[in-house]
Amino acid sequence: MTIFVFIASLLGAMAFGMPIAFALLVCGVALMFQLDNFDAQIVAQNLVNGADSFPLLAVPFFLLA
């Protein structure tokens, strides 16, 4: 059932035209609700930690240059 929630929420969010990064965020929140383990602080902390990754930030700056 967990895999069904994962795939359905991911494909559903992408079908609405949501970028893949935000669709994965929606997918994670849907899984947290399904497992009765939702905590907004964990979602926010992972979002900030993902944006703080210097190797991932180097890719858009390389393309901009």
Side-chain angles (χ1 to χ4, degrees), residues 25-40:
L25 183 67
V26 168
C27 179
V29 169
L31 282 173
M32 289 173 101
F33 275 126
Q34 195 260 340
L35 296 173
D36 293 329
N37 193 18
F38 180 73
D39 188 11

Side-chain angles (χ1 to χ4, degrees), residues 3-20 22-28 30:
I3 294 175
F4 174 73
V5 171
F6 174 76
I7 292 178
S9 62
L10 183 65
L11 293 178
M14 287 192 304
F16 283 127
M18 192 176 291
I20 293 175
F22 295 131
L24 285 171
L25 183 67
V26 168
C27 179

Side-chain angles (χ1 to χ4, degrees), residues 44-60:
Q45 189 175 23
N46 284 336
L47 189 66
V48 170
N49 284 340
D52 198 29
S53 174
F54 290 113
L56 290 178
L57 286 174
V59 173

